[in-house]
Amino acid sequence: MNQLIQSLVDAISAGAVLGLAALAIGLVFGVIRLANFATGEIITAAAYSLILTWDLGWYISIPISIIVAVLISLLMELAVFSRMRNHGPATLLIASFGLSFLLQRVYELIFGNNVRTAPIASGLAQSVDIGGIRVQMLSVTTIVLAAVLLIALQLFLTKTSLGLQLKAAAADFKTARLVGIPAGRVIGLSFALSGILAAAVAFVLTVQSGAVGPSFGVRITILALVGAVIGGIDKISGSLAGGFLVGFATSMLASWLPQEMTNFKDAFVFVLVIAVLLFKPSGLLIKGRGVVRT
Amino acid sequence: MSTADTRQGLHVENLEVAYNGVPAVRGISFEVNAGEAIGLIGPNGAGKSSTLLAIMGATPRTGVVTVHGHDISGLAPEKVVRTGLALVPEGRHVFTELSVMDNLRLGAVARRDKSTYKSALEHVLDLFPILRDFGHRHAGLLSGGQQQQLAIGRALMSDPDILMLDEPSLGLSPTAVDTVFEALDVVRKAGKAVLIVEQRAEFTIAFSDRTYVLHDGVITLSLKPEDADNVEVLTEAYFG
Ligand SMILES: Nc1ncnc2c1ncn2[C@@H]1O[C@H](COP(=O)(O)OP(=O)(O)O)[C@@H](O)[C@H]1O
Ligand SMILES: [Mg+2]
């Protein structure tokens, strides 16, 4: 019983992280049909920032990592994606692959191939006793962090004019522009929010691992993309739900698969994904929409 | 060199639109002045929607389009709206997952005078009382006619001088069509210019101060309201 609850809490936390990562991808996709694989390198940049500046205190290090993530995200849009507005989702995805590999090499050049380490928020690595059940402090923190971010995002999207503009653009970019919503404004906003979410993901992952290397963000991004696609990447809530599901399933498999099979947990998740795509492809396909880009 | 263009309203000169080299609009010219309702009719594929989208800067074009004498060539749609032009797109395209009120709020993003937002909203809600009743409902839950009212209301929230509508009667019940055109009459009488694209010829000709017939990307006729009863002219309008 105790073990079940522990694994459930861990799985919810893993789902929360992956949900945030998938949301980072889904927010941008909704507006410009870009499934940004290089979101992983935004996460990596935020992780390097945390690890390299942790000495200065968390209250400096965390803001730095958020700022770095937002700037890199906006820079990607300005330097690369804004020049590719007339291309379809497939081309944009491939371009983001290229950008991802390029940035990994850049990180390697700057920081070397070896991992950099720092004990990020080591206090969270302990477990706590809640009503007689021992749970990871980090899992609880992750769940709270994700909940706070999601509530804040939801309030932003529904209660502010800028948030409504983003929501409208994500639903129907062409009409949003005809109504007078500036394309540059909502695109920039989606990349900035994506950066903030990536920084949150980086925080949780660096607390877990205490280390960062050039390809730090790749695995979670693959899983997040998969999650976003099964959930329905063209809807913000779809990405979030799909990401959560994949994270939750991966974590549960890690807890309950026999020892000798845990290395294959990702493989099991992908089998699950293939099954979902086979049996319910209709609700999961991306609706192709013409997007006016000038 | 050139003297300042002091004309009011919308002026379209030699507008051309092509998709991958295939012409859809072949050099049409017309004007819409304040307080006028102008019809643009023609069969499916004649180039009506292309004309409106090209004016809005939403599809590439050549030719000159001026609003109150200012050339709006090269402006993105969101900039064009800020010159005083608004389009109610074909198929309405309200934001279905947002509330009626939020749809109207978004329409006001492009207002040039934000201080009059409240009175503009009241004006729209008086014009379409149903939107007041269903203010908090998701737009996707409205009927087709109600969505059309919302789409027009949303466009009016940007406070346009020229309102363009792409087939506003499409898929609506006769009573819903009446509601829409009664509202358009109010808009026209308030001194705004209205450009209505329609397939329903007779109705549009009777309503509009002037109606152009578009065939294969070319304006072939210009009709007066009286022509609505003239069978010969109508046949000509339909079949070229
Ligand atoms: N986005 C597009 N790409 C390619 N061809 C188009 C596009 N939009 C319209 N067309 C073509 O241009 C012509 C005019 O279309 P349209 O302006 O939609 O006519 P209407 O609104 O009068 O029915 C048609 O032949 C149509 O097939
Ligand atoms: Mg049309």
Side-chain angles (χ1 to χ4, degrees):
Chain A
M1 183 59 195
N2 213 329
Q3 206 189 346
L4 177 67
I5 292 177
Q6 271 175 25
S7 64
L8 265 178
V9 172
D10 288 345
I12 293 172
S13 142
V17 181
L18 218 60
L20 292 181
L23 196 55
I25 295 171
L27 268 176
V28 169
F29 187 89
V31 180
I32 58 168
R33 313 275 108 184
L34 158 71
N36 187 7
F37 194 77
T39 304
E41 284 53 57
I42 306 174
I43 295 171
T44 306
Y48 272 118
S49 308
L50 282 170
I51 298 256
L52 296 175
T53 65
W54 194 253
D55 287 348
L56 305 175
W58 63 267
Y59 48 90
I60 295 177
S61 187
I62 290 176
I64 286 180
S65 76
I66 296 171
I67 293 167
V68 166
V70 169
L71 286 181
I72 295 226
S73 188
L74 289 173
L75 201 63
M76 281 182 186
E77 149 63 7
L78 275 179
V80 183
F81 300 120
S82 70
R83 294 162 203 278
M84 306 186 64
R85 286 281 186 270
N86 295 316
H87 297 275
T91 314
L92 288 170
L93 175 65
I94 302 291
S96 78
F97 270 120
L99 183 60
S100 164
F101 289 125
L102 175 72
L103 285 173
Q104 287 176 47
R105 295 291 82 76
V106 169
Y107 294 154
E108 198 179 312
L109 274 175
I110 301 176
F111 305 111
N113 217 346
N114 295 332
V115 293
R116 299 297 192 94
T117 58
I120 305 289
S122 45
L124 297 178
Q126 300 149 8
S127 48
V128 285
D129 202 304
I130 300 177
I133 297 162
R134 293 205 75 74
V135 290
Q136 297 283 327
M137 190 64 188
L138 178 59
S139 295
V140 178
T141 312
T142 304
I143 294 168
V144 172
L145 175 69
V148 168
L149 277 174
L150 290 179
I151 291 168
L153 184 65
Q154 176 67 9
L155 285 176
F156 173 71
L157 289 177
T158 54
K159 300 287 180 227
T160 70
S161 171
L162 211 51
L164 278 174
Q165 292 175 46
L166 179 60
K167 228 178 146 186
D172 186 346
F173 192 56
K174 184 176 168 174
T175 303
R177 297 189 68 183
L178 283 173
V179 163
I181 295 168
R185 179 191 295 172
V186 282
I187 294 171
L189 187 59
S190 71
F191 274 92
L193 289 175
S194 181
I196 292 174
L197 293 170
V201 171
F203 176 76
V204 173
L205 293 184
T206 47
V207 176
Q208 266 171 19
S209 68
V212 54
S215 55
F216 180 83
V218 172
R219 177 173 176 270
I220 188 155
T221 304
I222 293 174
L223 291 175
L225 254 179
V226 166
V229 170
I230 17 179
I233 191 168
D234 62 342
K235 283 214 171 171
I236 293 173
S237 52
S239 303
L240 175 65
F244 180 86
L245 204 69
V246 168
F248 186 87
T250 317
S251 176
M252 281 308 242
L253 284 170
S255 305
W256 296 97
L257 275 181
Q259 194 72 58
E260 63 275 16
M261 292 176 74
T262 49
N263 279 341
F264 297 106
K265 65 181 198 289
D266 284 1
F268 276 96
V269 170
F270 284 111
V271 169
L272 200 83
V273 167
I274 291 169
V276 170
L277 288 176
L278 278 178
F279 290 111
K280 206 178 168 298
S282 58
L284 311 166
L285 290 182
I286 299 162
K287 267 184 273 157
R289 246 193 309 251
V291 176
V292 181
R293 284 148 175 158
T294 15
Chain B
M1 285 283 289
S2 65
T3 53
D5 190 343
T6 55
R7 293 175 304 177
Q8 292 297 296
L10 170 69
H11 289 254
V12 175
E13 278 153 47
N14 209 15
L15 180 83
E16 288 185 40
V17 179
Y19 299 103
N20 302 314
V22 183
V25 180
R26 310 161 187 258
I28 64 172
S29 302
F30 61 89
E31 57 180 75
V32 191
N33 300 303
E36 264 186 343
I38 300 300
L40 185 63
I41 58 173
N44 218 348
K48 305 181 298 295
S49 297
S50 300
T51 300
L52 296 187
L53 289 171
I55 291 172
M56 289 303 294
T59 201
R61 61 158 173 89
T62 59
V64 181
V65 179
T66 62
V67 173
H68 304 329
H70 298 288
D71 190 350
I72 60 166
S73 300
L75 294 187
E78 61 264 31
K79 294 262 166 59
V80 172
V81 180
R82 285 167 174 76
T83 68
L85 211 55
L87 172 65
V88 181
E90 187 173 3
R92 309 182 275 272
H93 289 278
V94 296
F95 300 114
T96 52
E97 285 162 39
L98 302 184
S99 73
V100 167
M101 276 308 161
D102 284 343
N103 270 270
L104 294 176
R105 268 176 89 182
L106 284 170
V109 167
R111 283 186 79 76
R112 289 157 291 180
D113 181 2
K114 301 265 197 271
S115 69
T116 52
Y117 168 80
K118 273 235 160 70
S119 62
L121 181 62
E122 281 309 309
H123 175 73
V124 166
L125 294 177
D126 289 342
L127 196 59
F128 300 118
I130 197 83
L131 300 182
R132 193 191 298 276
D133 301 340
F134 291 162
H136 296 287
R137 195 171 285 198
H138 272 191
L141 296 175
L142 301 184
S143 73
Q146 293 161 352
Q147 286 191 11
Q148 188 65 62
Q149 295 178 47
L150 177 57
I152 297 171
R154 182 180 65 184
L156 288 174
M157 286 305 293
S158 72
D159 199 14
D161 301 323
I162 301 138
L163 179 68
M164 309 194 291
L165 306 100
D166 197 347
E167 304 209 25
S169 78
L170 196 71
L172 300 196
S173 70
T175 39
V177 174
D178 285 345
T179 309
V180 164
F181 276 84
E182 275 162 26
L184 293 181
D185 197 37
V186 173
V187 171
R188 156 172 61 181
K189 290 192 172 124
K192 294 188 190 292
V194 183
L195 176 60
I196 306 164
V197 156
E198 268 295 341
Q199 287 204 45
R200 304 159 45 114
E202 212 177 319
F203 191 85
T204 309
I205 298 166
F207 179 84
S208 308
D209 299 292
R210 195 164 64 250
T211 298
Y212 300 107
V213 180
L214 192 64
H215 257 281
D216 239 338
V218 180
I219 291 180
T220 54
L221 276 176
S222 172
L223 305 175
K224 297 200 153 55
E226 315 70 278
D227 295 325
D229 314 317
N230 186 331
V231 179
E232 248 172 73
V233 170
L234 281 181
T235 318
E236 172 85 10
Y238 274 117
F239 303 108

